[in-house]
Structure formats: C-alpha cells, structure tokens
PDB file of all heavy atoms in Angstrom:
ATOM      1  N   LEU A   1      -0.729   9.378 -59.264  1.00 90.00           N
ATOM      2  CA  LEU A   1      -1.498   9.722 -60.470  1.00 90.00           C
ATOM      3  C   LEU A   1      -2.349  10.958 -60.174  1.00 90.00           C
ATOM      4  O   LEU A   1      -3.577  10.881 -60.041  1.00 90.00           O
ATOM      5  CB  LEU A   1      -2.393   8.558 -60.898  1.00 90.00           C
ATOM      6  CG  LEU A   1      -1.700   7.277 -61.320  1.00 90.00           C
ATOM      7  CD1 LEU A   1      -2.728   6.165 -61.553  1.00 90.00           C
ATOM      8  CD2 LEU A   1      -0.913   7.492 -62.591  1.00 90.00           C
ATOM      9  N   PRO A   2      -1.721  12.136 -60.079  1.00 90.00           N
ATOM     10  CA  PRO A   2      -2.446  13.339 -59.660  1.00 90.00           C
ATOM     11  C   PRO A   2      -3.524  13.799 -60.633  1.00 90.00           C
ATOM     12  O   PRO A   2      -4.445  14.512 -60.257  1.00 90.00           O
ATOM     13  CB  PRO A   2      -1.348  14.400 -59.509  1.00 90.00           C
ATOM     14  CG  PRO A   2      -0.197  13.891 -60.302  1.00 90.00           C
ATOM     15  CD  PRO A   2      -0.305  12.388 -60.325  1.00 90.00           C
ATOM     16  N   LYS A   3      -3.462  13.359 -61.883  1.00 91.00           N
ATOM     17  CA  LYS A   3      -4.466  13.791 -62.863  1.00 91.00           C
ATOM     18  C   LYS A   3      -5.804  13.069 -62.679  1.00 91.00           C
ATOM     19  O   LYS A   3      -6.833  13.516 -63.179  1.00 91.00           O
ATOM     20  CB  LYS A   3      -3.960  13.539 -64.290  1.00 91.00           C
ATOM     21  CG  LYS A   3      -2.808  14.456 -64.653  1.00 91.00           C
ATOM     22  CD  LYS A   3      -2.362  14.241 -66.071  1.00 91.00           C
ATOM     23  CE  LYS A   3      -1.208  15.153 -66.414  1.00 91.00           C
ATOM     24  NZ  LYS A   3      -0.731  14.969 -67.785  1.00 91.00           N
ATOM     25  N   LEU A   4      -5.789  11.953 -61.954  1.00 90.00           N
ATOM     26  CA  LEU A   4      -7.031  11.200 -61.722  1.00 90.00           C
ATOM     27  C   LEU A   4      -7.714  11.687 -60.449  1.00 90.00           C
ATOM     28  O   LEU A   4      -7.069  11.907 -59.429  1.00 90.00           O
ATOM     29  CB  LEU A   4      -6.746   9.707 -61.563  1.00 90.00           C
ATOM     30  CG  LEU A   4      -6.460   8.915 -62.833  1.00 90.00           C
ATOM     31  CD1 LEU A   4      -6.175   7.458 -62.468  1.00 90.00           C
ATOM     32  CD2 LEU A   4      -7.606   8.975 -63.796  1.00 90.00           C
ATOM     33  N   SER A   5      -9.009  11.812 -60.518  1.00 91.00           N
ATOM     34  CA  SER A   5      -9.758  12.181 -59.322  1.00 91.00           C
ATOM     35  C   SER A   5      -9.876  10.972 -58.405  1.00 91.00           C
ATOM     36  O   SER A   5      -9.733   9.820 -58.847  1.00 91.00           O
ATOM     37  CB  SER A   5     -11.147  12.693 -59.689  1.00 91.00           C
ATOM     38  OG  SER A   5     -11.957  11.614 -60.153  1.00 91.00           O
ATOM     39  N   GLU A   6     -10.134  11.233 -57.141  1.00 88.00           N
ATOM     40  CA  GLU A   6     -10.302  10.130 -56.180  1.00 88.00           C
ATOM     41  C   GLU A   6     -11.507   9.276 -56.552  1.00 88.00           C
ATOM     42  O   GLU A   6     -11.501   8.065 -56.329  1.00 88.00           O
ATOM     43  CB  GLU A   6     -10.374  10.653 -54.756  1.00 88.00           C
ATOM     44  CG  GLU A   6      -9.037  11.179 -54.263  1.00 88.00           C
ATOM     45  CD  GLU A   6      -8.996  11.439 -52.789  1.00 88.00           C
ATOM     46  OE1 GLU A   6     -10.000  11.212 -52.083  1.00 88.00           O
ATOM     47  OE2 GLU A   6      -7.933  11.882 -52.311  1.00 88.00           O
ATOM     48  N   ASP A   7     -12.530   9.880 -57.124  1.00 90.00           N
ATOM     49  CA  ASP A   7     -13.707   9.114 -57.568  1.00 90.00           C
ATOM     50  C   ASP A   7     -13.322   8.123 -58.667  1.00 90.00           C
ATOM     51  O   ASP A   7     -13.798   6.997 -58.684  1.00 90.00           O
ATOM     52  CB  ASP A   7     -14.806  10.052 -58.066  1.00 90.00           C
ATOM     53  CG  ASP A   7     -15.464  10.844 -56.932  1.00 90.00           C
ATOM     54  OD1 ASP A   7     -15.374  10.386 -55.760  1.00 90.00           O
ATOM     55  OD2 ASP A   7     -16.045  11.892 -57.219  1.00 90.00           O
ATOM     56  N   ASN A   8     -12.498   8.571 -59.611  1.00 91.00           N
ATOM     57  CA  ASN A   8     -12.053   7.673 -60.689  1.00 91.00           C
ATOM     58  C   ASN A   8     -11.184   6.545 -60.142  1.00 91.00           C
ATOM     59  O   ASN A   8     -11.309   5.402 -60.591  1.00 91.00           O
ATOM     60  CB  ASN A   8     -11.274   8.443 -61.756  1.00 91.00           C
ATOM     61  CG  ASN A   8     -12.164   9.326 -62.595  1.00 91.00           C
ATOM     62  OD1 ASN A   8     -13.360   9.144 -62.654  1.00 91.00           O
ATOM     63  ND2 ASN A   8     -11.568  10.318 -63.236  1.00 91.00           N
ATOM     64  N   ILE A   9     -10.339   6.862 -59.166  1.00 90.00           N
ATOM     65  CA  ILE A   9      -9.513   5.814 -58.554  1.00 90.00           C
ATOM     66  C   ILE A   9     -10.392   4.820 -57.823  1.00 90.00           C
ATOM     67  O   ILE A   9     -10.196   3.609 -57.924  1.00 90.00           O
ATOM     68  CB  ILE A   9      -8.462   6.456 -57.615  1.00 90.00           C
ATOM     69  CG1 ILE A   9      -7.475   7.300 -58.426  1.00 90.00           C
ATOM     70  CG2 ILE A   9      -7.706   5.382 -56.815  1.00 90.00           C
ATOM     71  CD1 ILE A   9      -6.553   8.177 -57.590  1.00 90.00           C
ATOM     72  N   TYR A  10     -11.377   5.315 -57.102  1.00 89.00           N
ATOM     73  CA  TYR A  10     -12.329   4.466 -56.386  1.00 89.00           C
ATOM     74  C   TYR A  10     -13.071   3.548 -57.370  1.00 89.00           C
ATOM     75  O   TYR A  10     -13.184   2.326 -57.140  1.00 89.00           O
ATOM     76  CB  TYR A  10     -13.325   5.348 -55.609  1.00 89.00           C
ATOM     77  CG  TYR A  10     -14.281   4.587 -54.736  1.00 89.00           C
ATOM     78  CD1 TYR A  10     -13.922   4.242 -53.442  1.00 89.00           C
ATOM     79  CD2 TYR A  10     -15.555   4.239 -55.184  1.00 89.00           C
ATOM     80  CE1 TYR A  10     -14.798   3.571 -52.610  1.00 89.00           C
ATOM     81  CE2 TYR A  10     -16.431   3.559 -54.364  1.00 89.00           C
ATOM     82  CZ  TYR A  10     -16.049   3.216 -53.077  1.00 89.00           C
ATOM     83  OH  TYR A  10     -16.916   2.535 -52.278  1.00 89.00           O
ATOM     84  N   GLU A  11     -13.519   4.121 -58.458  1.00 92.00           N
ATOM     85  CA  GLU A  11     -14.212   3.359 -59.502  1.00 92.00           C
ATOM     86  C   GLU A  11     -13.307   2.269 -60.070  1.00 92.00           C
ATOM     87  O   GLU A  11     -13.715   1.112 -60.279  1.00 92.00           O
ATOM     88  CB  GLU A  11     -14.674   4.293 -60.597  1.00 92.00           C
ATOM     89  CG  GLU A  11     -15.386   3.628 -61.753  1.00 92.00           C
ATOM     90  CD  GLU A  11     -15.698   4.629 -62.870  1.00 92.00           C
ATOM     91  OE1 GLU A  11     -15.904   5.819 -62.599  1.00 92.00           O
ATOM     92  OE2 GLU A  11     -15.745   4.168 -64.021  1.00 92.00           O
ATOM     93  N   SER A  12     -12.057   2.612 -60.336  1.00 92.00           N
ATOM     94  CA  SER A  12     -11.099   1.660 -60.876  1.00 92.00           C
ATOM     95  C   SER A  12     -10.819   0.524 -59.879  1.00 92.00           C
ATOM     96  O   SER A  12     -10.735  -0.641 -60.263  1.00 92.00           O
ATOM     97  CB  SER A  12      -9.797   2.388 -61.240  1.00 92.00           C
ATOM     98  OG  SER A  12      -8.881   1.469 -61.811  1.00 92.00           O
ATOM     99  N   MET A  13     -10.684   0.867 -58.629  1.00 91.00           N
ATOM    100  CA  MET A  13     -10.429  -0.152 -57.600  1.00 91.00           C
ATOM    101  C   MET A  13     -11.632  -1.103 -57.473  1.00 91.00           C
ATOM    102  O   MET A  13     -11.463  -2.298 -57.277  1.00 91.00           O
ATOM    103  CB  MET A  13     -10.092   0.490 -56.272  1.00 91.00           C
ATOM    104  CG  MET A  13      -8.728   1.130 -56.250  1.00 91.00           C
ATOM    105  SD  MET A  13      -8.344   1.843 -54.652  1.00 91.00           S
ATOM    106  CE  MET A  13      -6.727   2.504 -54.944  1.00 91.00           C
ATOM    107  N   ASN A  14     -12.828  -0.561 -57.592  1.00 92.00           N
ATOM    108  CA  ASN A  14     -14.018  -1.432 -57.575  1.00 92.00           C
ATOM    109  C   ASN A  14     -14.006  -2.360 -58.787  1.00 92.00           C
ATOM    110  O   ASN A  14     -14.381  -3.543 -58.665  1.00 92.00           O
ATOM    111  CB  ASN A  14     -15.298  -0.596 -57.560  1.00 92.00           C
ATOM    112  CG  ASN A  14     -15.629  -0.085 -56.187  1.00 92.00           C
ATOM    113  OD1 ASN A  14     -15.368  -0.747 -55.190  1.00 92.00           O
ATOM    114  ND2 ASN A  14     -16.176   1.115 -56.113  1.00 92.00           N
ATOM    115  N   TYR A  15     -13.581  -1.868 -59.941  1.00 94.00           N
ATOM    116  CA  TYR A  15     -13.482  -2.701 -61.134  1.00 94.00           C
ATOM    117  C   TYR A  15     -12.438  -3.809 -60.930  1.00 94.00           C
ATOM    118  O   TYR A  15     -12.665  -4.951 -61.289  1.00 94.00           O
ATOM    119  CB  TYR A  15     -13.135  -1.852 -62.356  1.00 94.00           C
ATOM    120  CG  TYR A  15     -12.959  -2.672 -63.612  1.00 94.00           C
ATOM    121  CD1 TYR A  15     -14.067  -3.126 -64.314  1.00 94.00           C
ATOM    122  CD2 TYR A  15     -11.706  -3.022 -64.067  1.00 94.00           C
ATOM    123  CE1 TYR A  15     -13.919  -3.906 -65.451  1.00 94.00           C
ATOM    124  CE2 TYR A  15     -11.538  -3.784 -65.201  1.00 94.00           C
ATOM    125  CZ  TYR A  15     -12.645  -4.228 -65.901  1.00 94.00           C
ATOM    126  OH  TYR A  15     -12.491  -5.002 -67.022  1.00 94.00           O
ATOM    127  N   LEU A  16     -11.290  -3.439 -60.354  1.00 94.00           N
ATOM    128  CA  LEU A  16     -10.237  -4.424 -60.099  1.00 94.00           C
ATOM    129  C   LEU A  16     -10.739  -5.502 -59.117  1.00 94.00           C
ATOM    130  O   LEU A  16     -10.410  -6.668 -59.262  1.00 94.00           O
ATOM    131  CB  LEU A  16      -8.975  -3.755 -59.555  1.00 94.00           C
ATOM    132  CG  LEU A  16      -8.240  -2.828 -60.518  1.00 94.00           C
ATOM    133  CD1 LEU A  16      -7.126  -2.076 -59.793  1.00 94.00           C
ATOM    134  CD2 LEU A  16      -7.702  -3.584 -61.718  1.00 94.00           C
ATOM    135  N   GLU A  17     -11.561  -5.076 -58.166  1.00 93.00           N
ATOM    136  CA  GLU A  17     -12.141  -6.063 -57.228  1.00 93.00           C
ATOM    137  C   GLU A  17     -13.122  -6.969 -57.967  1.00 93.00           C
ATOM    138  O   GLU A  17     -13.131  -8.180 -57.769  1.00 93.00           O
ATOM    139  CB  GLU A  17     -12.838  -5.372 -56.064  1.00 93.00           C
ATOM    140  CG  GLU A  17     -13.397  -6.402 -55.072  1.00 93.00           C
ATOM    141  CD  GLU A  17     -14.103  -5.771 -53.908  1.00 93.00           C
ATOM    142  OE1 GLU A  17     -14.860  -4.812 -54.095  1.00 93.00           O
ATOM    143  OE2 GLU A  17     -13.912  -6.287 -52.789  1.00 93.00           O
ATOM    144  N   PHE A  18     -13.915  -6.397 -58.856  1.00 95.00           N
ATOM    145  CA  PHE A  18     -14.876  -7.187 -59.639  1.00 95.00           C
ATOM    146  C   PHE A  18     -14.151  -8.244 -60.457  1.00 95.00           C
ATOM    147  O   PHE A  18     -14.625  -9.366 -60.603  1.00 95.00           O
ATOM    148  CB  PHE A  18     -15.671  -6.241 -60.548  1.00 95.00           C
ATOM    149  CG  PHE A  18     -16.555  -6.957 -61.537  1.00 95.00           C
ATOM    150  CD1 PHE A  18     -17.721  -7.561 -61.114  1.00 95.00           C
ATOM    151  CD2 PHE A  18     -16.208  -7.012 -62.873  1.00 95.00           C
ATOM    152  CE1 PHE A  18     -18.537  -8.239 -62.021  1.00 95.00           C
ATOM    153  CE2 PHE A  18     -17.016  -7.674 -63.784  1.00 95.00           C
ATOM    154  CZ  PHE A  18     -18.183  -8.297 -63.370  1.00 95.00           C
ATOM    155  N   LYS A  19     -12.981  -7.906 -60.988  1.00 94.00           N
ATOM    156  CA  LYS A  19     -12.162  -8.837 -61.780  1.00 94.00           C
ATOM    157  C   LYS A  19     -11.383  -9.823 -60.918  1.00 94.00           C
ATOM    158  O   LYS A  19     -10.723 -10.729 -61.448  1.00 94.00           O
ATOM    159  CB  LYS A  19     -11.195  -8.079 -62.698  1.00 94.00           C
ATOM    160  CG  LYS A  19     -11.871  -7.339 -63.807  1.00 94.00           C
ATOM    161  CD  LYS A  19     -12.497  -8.330 -64.759  1.00 94.00           C
ATOM    162  CE  LYS A  19     -12.985  -7.681 -66.025  1.00 94.00           C
ATOM    163  NZ  LYS A  19     -13.546  -8.628 -66.938  1.00 94.00           N
ATOM    164  N   GLY A  20     -11.430  -9.656 -59.590  1.00 94.00           N
ATOM    165  CA  GLY A  20     -10.742 -10.582 -58.701  1.00 94.00           C
ATOM    166  C   GLY A  20      -9.260 -10.292 -58.529  1.00 94.00           C
ATOM    167  O   GLY A  20      -8.518 -11.137 -58.043  1.00 94.00           O
ATOM    168  N   LEU A  21      -8.827  -9.080 -58.911  1.00 93.00           N
ATOM    169  CA  LEU A  21      -7.409  -8.741 -58.827  1.00 93.00           C
ATOM    170  C   LEU A  21      -7.049  -8.135 -57.474  1.00 93.00           C
ATOM    171  O   LEU A  21      -5.879  -8.173 -57.070  1.00 93.00           O
ATOM    172  CB  LEU A  21      -7.032  -7.783 -59.956  1.00 93.00           C
ATOM    173  CG  LEU A  21      -7.328  -8.307 -61.370  1.00 93.00           C
ATOM    174  CD1 LEU A  21      -7.080  -7.226 -62.401  1.00 93.00           C
ATOM    175  CD2 LEU A  21      -6.504  -9.531 -61.673  1.00 93.00           C
ATOM    176  N   VAL A  22      -8.027  -7.554 -56.801  1.00 93.00           N
ATOM    177  CA  VAL A  22      -7.844  -7.019 -55.453  1.00 93.00           C
ATOM    178  C   VAL A  22      -9.061  -7.374 -54.596  1.00 93.00           C
ATOM    179  O   VAL A  22     -10.111  -7.698 -55.111  1.00 93.00           O
ATOM    180  CB  VAL A  22      -7.632  -5.478 -55.458  1.00 93.00           C
ATOM    181  CG1 VAL A  22      -6.396  -5.070 -56.256  1.00 93.00           C
ATOM    182  CG2 VAL A  22      -8.848  -4.747 -55.959  1.00 93.00           C
ATOM    183  N   SER A  23      -8.866  -7.263 -53.299  1.00 91.00           N
ATOM    184  CA  SER A  23      -9.959  -7.447 -52.351  1.00 91.00           C
ATOM    185  C   SER A  23     -10.019  -6.167 -51.514  1.00 91.00           C
ATOM    186  O   SER A  23      -8.992  -5.667 -51.035  1.00 91.00           O
ATOM    187  CB  SER A  23      -9.661  -8.655 -51.454  1.00 91.00           C
ATOM    188  OG  SER A  23     -10.642  -8.765 -50.461  1.00 91.00           O
ATOM    189  N   ILE A  24     -11.215  -5.616 -51.387  1.00 89.00           N
ATOM    190  CA  ILE A  24     -11.383  -4.316 -50.743  1.00 89.00           C
ATOM    191  C   ILE A  24     -12.154  -4.441 -49.430  1.00 89.00           C
ATOM    192  O   ILE A  24     -13.130  -5.148 -49.351  1.00 89.00           O
ATOM    193  CB  ILE A  24     -12.150  -3.351 -51.697  1.00 89.00           C
ATOM    194  CG1 ILE A  24     -11.298  -3.046 -52.927  1.00 89.00           C
ATOM    195  CG2 ILE A  24     -12.543  -2.077 -50.987  1.00 89.00           C
ATOM    196  CD1 ILE A  24     -12.028  -2.226 -53.975  1.00 89.00           C
ATOM    197  N   THR A  25     -11.704  -3.678 -48.406  1.00 89.00           N
ATOM    198  CA  THR A  25     -12.425  -3.516 -47.158  1.00 89.00           C
ATOM    199  C   THR A  25     -12.877  -2.069 -47.097  1.00 89.00           C
ATOM    200  O   THR A  25     -12.044  -1.156 -47.165  1.00 89.00           O
ATOM    201  CB  THR A  25     -11.535  -3.836 -45.947  1.00 89.00           C
ATOM    202  OG1 THR A  25     -11.036  -5.165 -46.098  1.00 89.00           O
ATOM    203  CG2 THR A  25     -12.301  -3.721 -44.655  1.00 89.00           C
ATOM    204  N   ILE A  26     -14.176  -1.850 -46.980  1.00 85.00           N
ATOM    205  CA  ILE A  26     -14.734  -0.493 -46.952  1.00 85.00           C
ATOM    206  C   ILE A  26     -15.174  -0.155 -45.534  1.00 85.00           C
ATOM    207  O   ILE A  26     -15.823  -0.962 -44.860  1.00 85.00           O
ATOM    208  CB  ILE A  26     -15.907  -0.353 -47.921  1.00 85.00           C
ATOM    209  CG1 ILE A  26     -15.422  -0.572 -49.350  1.00 85.00           C
ATOM    210  CG2 ILE A  26     -16.579   0.993 -47.794  1.00 85.00           C
ATOM    211  CD1 ILE A  26     -16.481  -0.517 -50.404  1.00 85.00           C
ATOM    212  N   ALA A  27     -14.779   1.047 -45.081  1.00 85.00           N
ATOM    213  CA  ALA A  27     -15.197   1.562 -43.773  1.00 85.00           C
ATOM    214  C   ALA A  27     -15.550   3.034 -43.944  1.00 85.00           C
ATOM    215  O   ALA A  27     -14.807   3.780 -44.576  1.00 85.00           O
ATOM    216  CB  ALA A  27     -14.088   1.377 -42.756  1.00 85.00           C
TER     217      ALA A  27
END
C-alpha cells in the first residue's frame, strides 16, 4: 500500500490491536 504513510499504517495496526484482531510487540 505505497500510498499510505508508515505513520498511518502504524496507527491502523494499533487500532487493529485495540479491536483484538492482532497482537503487537514493540521494540
């Protein structure tokens, strides 16, 4: 998805984690 910035992808992944659809490990 080259049109999306990495910040938007990061925000979306955090939302997906909030909804319980993914689990994220941050380093």
Side-chain angles (χ1 to χ4, degrees):
L1 296 173
K3 292 182 180 179
L4 283 179
S5 70
E6 290 192 0
D7 289 338
N8 288 341
I9 295 170
Y10 185 86
E11 179 185 330
S12 182
M13 288 181 180
N14 280 326
Y15 177 79
L16 293 172
E17 182 180 42
F18 172 74
K19 290 294 190 178
L21 303 173
V22 298
S23 175
I24 294 174
T25 303
I26 296 178

